[in-house]
Amino acid sequence: MKRKRSMFSVLGAILLVVSVSAFAAYQKKRNEPVYLDNHVFQRYQNYWGVWINFKTERKTLEEKVAELGSDWEDVIALNALSEKEKNAPKRFLFLPYGAEYAESLEKQGQFREAIESQIDQFIWPVLPNSRTKITSRIGRRWNSLHTGVDIAIPRESIVLAAADGVVEIAGRSGDYGNTVKIYHNEMNHFHTVYGHNTEVLVKAGDIVKKGQIIAFSGNTGKSTGPHVHFEVRYHNVYLNPENFLSPFEEGLNTSAVSVAKN
């Protein structure tokens, strides 16, 4: 009898170890590194580089391409540049970094940031700091329904995609001002919306990654100050974004990551 009990105990211990290992493997599968864009390292269509506003940039496009080591043909293709714009562009353009320039930035202590995030979890669309705060939550406001979360943030701060998806709307959209709407097929068909941006950097049909810059924040549309209006929708039903996010007050625990480790 004791021998049988001993065998059952051993078997139970083995099953426990196997179960724990399987759970750990499952958890590992469900977590992925998320590379967060910042004001130095940004991405677009699998390229690392930076968005530059040529409305205010003093250098010519040709000079910036040479400075950043960008490939001229990539610049033309990524931005759908017309012949006229090649000489004097008047909008935001994405310039991919050459390898040497990216390395020089890292030698100066400039890196990307990375966090761990579950595959089926959204991230906050801004990088929390001392100047960001939630100013309005979902619910009744001024005798109407406020459909998302308002995050006060300085104008022209970067706005990040909360999850992988496909851009459905990119541009002016009524009271939302300059807006991005993303469809998240792999996350049970949710949509996220990012309103009141000063500039939208993506276009309808673009595939975006979690943590990718999609806009610069602003005060367009029906807005009383610079902020990001963030919504989560399911079949056009407005849900509380904070139910899908880590507490805002905790911010993000990030680590520096080299471009070479992409």
Side-chain angles (χ1 to χ4, degrees):
M1 190 72 178
K2 287 183 179 179
R3 187 177 178 181
K4 282 186 178 181
R5 285 180 179 173
S6 178
M7 287 179 63
F8 279 123
S9 297
V10 171
L11 182 59
I14 292 172
L15 287 172
L16 178 62
V17 170
V18 170
S19 298
V20 170
S21 299
F23 178 73
Y26 171 75
Q27 288 295 93
K28 188 175 181 180
K29 270 186 173 182
R30 292 182 61 81
N31 284 275
E32 60 178 6
V34 177
Y35 304 110
L36 303 176
D37 289 5
N38 53 44
H39 283 284
V40 178
F41 285 105
Q42 301 168 3
R43 82 193 99 171
Y44 185 61
Q45 295 188 13
N46 296 319
Y47 287 84
W48 287 100
V50 65
W51 287 94
I52 296 176
N53 185 2
F54 279 92
K55 294 176 185 176
T56 57
E57 174 60 44
R58 293 184 178 181
K59 292 185 180 180
T60 66
L61 175 58
E62 190 173 326
E63 288 172 334
K64 289 302 293 185
V65 165
E67 177 186 334
L68 305 183
S70 307
D71 182 277
W72 183 251
E73 294 303 318
D74 286 341
V75 172
I76 294 172
L78 287 168
N79 298 284
L81 274 176
S82 65
E83 286 298 322
K84 183 179 179 180
E85 284 186 306
K86 291 178 185 177
N87 297 320
K90 297 295 181 183
R91 60 184 173 99
F92 275 87
L93 297 180
F94 183 80
L95 272 59
Y97 290 146
E100 289 185 8
Y101 187 81
E103 289 175 7
S104 72
L105 289 175
E106 292 181 356
K107 287 178 180 178
Q108 297 169 32
Q110 303 284 354
F111 291 92
R112 290 179 297 151
E113 294 166 293
I115 60 169
E116 288 292 321
S117 175
Q118 289 190 354
I119 291 173
D120 59 353
Q121 182 183 42
F122 292 116
I123 64 169
W124 285 96
V126 300
L127 297 174
N129 58 48
S130 61
R131 299 180 66 188
T132 64
K133 61 180 180 179
I134 294 175
T135 55
S136 186
R137 290 180 157 85
I138 192 169
R140 301 295 296 180
R141 187 181 73 171
W142 304 329
N143 297 319
S144 63
L145 174 64
H146 183 242
T147 53
V149 172
D150 287 349
I151 309 165
I153 191 166
R155 189 174 181 275
E156 294 193 356
S157 298
I158 65 173
V159 180
L160 307 173
D164 296 357
V166 179
V167 178
E168 284 193 353
I169 294 174
R172 198 77 184 183
S173 183
D175 289 348
Y176 289 86
N178 294 327
T179 303
V180 178
K181 181 181 180 182
I182 301 175
Y183 173 56
H184 306 284
N185 181 45
E186 295 184 4
M187 292 187 65
N188 203 24
H189 309 288
F190 282 90
H191 284 88
T192 52
V193 177
Y194 315 74
H196 307 304
N197 305 292
T198 188
E199 194 76 33
V200 169
L201 304 175
V202 291
K203 61 183 184 299
D206 278 354
I207 296 172
V208 295
K209 301 293 290 182
K210 185 190 292 187
Q212 176 183 335
I213 184 172
I214 55 174
F216 286 113
S217 64
N219 191 31
T220 59
K222 191 176 181 179
S223 171
T224 57
H227 72 284
V228 177
H229 174 82
F230 179 58
E231 293 180 358
V232 173
R233 301 181 188 177
Y234 183 68
H235 293 293
N236 219 30
V237 175
Y238 302 104
L239 304 176
N240 185 354
E242 293 181 83
N243 290 340
F244 302 89
L245 298 158
S246 59
F248 186 77
E249 289 74 19
E250 290 183 5
L252 295 172
N253 294 317
T254 65
S255 57
V257 180
S258 166
V259 167
K261 294 180 181 178
N262 185 26

